[in-house]
Amino acid sequence: MNIVILGSGNIASHMGKALHTLGHQILQVYSRNWANAHVLASVLNADAVDTVEEITDRADFYFIAVADQAIQQVADQLPQPVNGIVVHCSGATDINILARFPLHGVIYPAQSLRKDIATSLRDIPFGIEGSDRDIANSLLRLIQTISVKPFLCDTKQRLALHLAAVFANNFSNVLFQIAYEILKEQNLTFDLLKPIILETAQKVQKQIPEDVQTGPAKRGDTETIQKHLQFLMKNPHWLKIYQELTGEITRKEH
């Protein structure tokens, strides 16, 4: 397949490299910053372009892999007509943002990707949405060459997956950072928590998170909770987070 990558960031890099490795021809990499486009294009044996007017209309697929807030602008500037399928790679952006193109869809990798970290896409779930059944199936077949976990979904399901990923990944990571800072203030290393973090992650691979919940809120240990609240009095932001999460756990118990 002949492919154009619009973007040069995290998803653009991973998708471009995966498709290139499989033998697909990456015709062009577009970025408003030519140097960024050139770095990725040189890896993919593609041409680097920094204006939408240079984008070919002869590709089979156009991957808009840019920040969510830039998808609309890139889509609006992409010349018409293009013969291929235009897709974006966002979890939270409606498919209808691409409605001006007769053939359009979405390919959303449910994973936190960084272009400077090598990551296999094989076991990453990909939410696939198409403007019609044929387009969806075409995108599904393409991604099945990259991952063993692509699935068809609609926009609301994709948004739900993205939101759930924010809770599971982004929010848990900021809680890790709070834990790191609490320990650092007491001259303790974050390494002390790595075994329990790993154990929790391993548990939820096979069980529902609610079924493996532990801690003072779960067992109704108000005395320990009060000690924690007292400890956190000097940081009202952390105190509020603790209270909200404790309330969520105890609510599940009633």
Side-chain angles (χ1 to χ4, degrees):
M1 295 291 183
N2 294 324
I3 297 168
V4 171
I5 305 290
L6 295 100
S8 59
N10 297 321
I11 294 179
S13 296
H14 281 280
M15 291 293 295
K17 291 175 183 178
L19 292 164
H20 176 67
T21 299
L22 288 168
H24 298 288
Q25 185 175 2
I26 311 301
L27 300 178
Q28 296 173 315
V29 175
Y30 161 80
S31 174
R32 289 180 299 177
N33 183 313
W34 186 88
N36 290 343
H38 176 69
V39 169
L40 181 56
S42 63
V43 175
L44 305 179
N45 194 29
D47 293 328
V49 298
D50 59 2
T51 64
V52 291
E53 289 78 16
E54 297 177 83
I55 295 174
T56 179
D57 62 355
R58 303 286 181 184
D60 299 302
F61 294 96
Y62 296 80
F63 286 89
I64 301 178
V66 298
D68 285 17
Q69 61 269 27
I71 294 174
Q72 181 76 71
Q73 181 180 8
V74 172
D76 287 347
Q77 293 178 347
L78 191 62
Q80 280 188 298
V82 293
N83 297 319
I85 302 173
V86 180
V87 304
H88 71 65
C89 302
S90 166
T93 304
D94 197 292
I95 189 175
N96 290 329
I97 201 170
L98 302 177
R100 66 187 287 257
F101 303 102
L103 310 177
H104 61 276
V106 181
I107 293 174
Y108 165 55
Q111 178 62 281
S112 178
L113 298 170
R114 289 183 51 175
K115 62 181 178 181
D116 56 339
I117 299 176
T119 303
S120 172
L121 303 185
R122 174 178 169 78
D123 293 317
I124 293 176
F126 280 79
I128 308 297
E129 189 174 0
S131 51
D132 59 41
R133 185 181 296 274
D134 289 340
I135 297 300
N137 287 331
S138 294
L139 296 175
L140 185 66
R141 286 192 295 271
L142 177 66
I143 299 304
Q144 282 173 335
T145 65
I146 296 175
S147 167
V148 298
K149 296 183 178 179
F151 64 97
L152 297 177
C153 63
D154 59 31
T155 291
K156 188 172 183 180
Q157 289 173 320
R158 181 164 43 83
L159 178 59
L161 176 59
H162 188 268
L163 174 59
V166 168
F167 271 95
N169 179 49
N170 305 134
F171 290 173
S172 64
N173 192 67
V174 77
L175 293 177
F176 293 156
Q177 181 62 30
I178 291 173
Y180 172 90
E181 293 178 28
I182 289 172
L183 292 174
K184 184 179 179 181
E185 287 180 358
Q186 301 301 318
N187 297 314
L188 295 170
T189 174
F190 186 68
D191 288 347
L192 295 169
L193 289 182
K194 290 181 180 178
I196 196 171
I197 291 172
L198 182 59
E199 180 190 20
T200 302
Q202 290 174 335
K203 284 178 179 177
V204 299
Q205 301 303 311
K206 297 181 179 180
Q207 296 174 270
I208 297 173
E210 184 178 359
D211 293 342
V212 297
Q213 183 70 57
T214 62
K218 171 71 174 181
R219 61 179 181 265
D221 185 352
T222 56
E223 182 177 348
T224 297
I225 291 172
Q226 287 304 314
K227 290 179 182 179
H228 289 170
L229 294 174
Q230 186 63 35
F231 188 96
L232 291 169
M233 288 296 291
K234 61 182 179 181
N235 193 312
H237 297 296
W238 294 353
L239 177 64
K240 184 176 181 181
I241 291 171
Y242 184 97
Q243 289 172 321
E244 290 290 341
L245 293 178
T246 295
E248 179 64 16
I249 295 171
T250 55
R251 182 182 66 83
K252 292 285 188 179
E253 298 305 302
H254 300 289

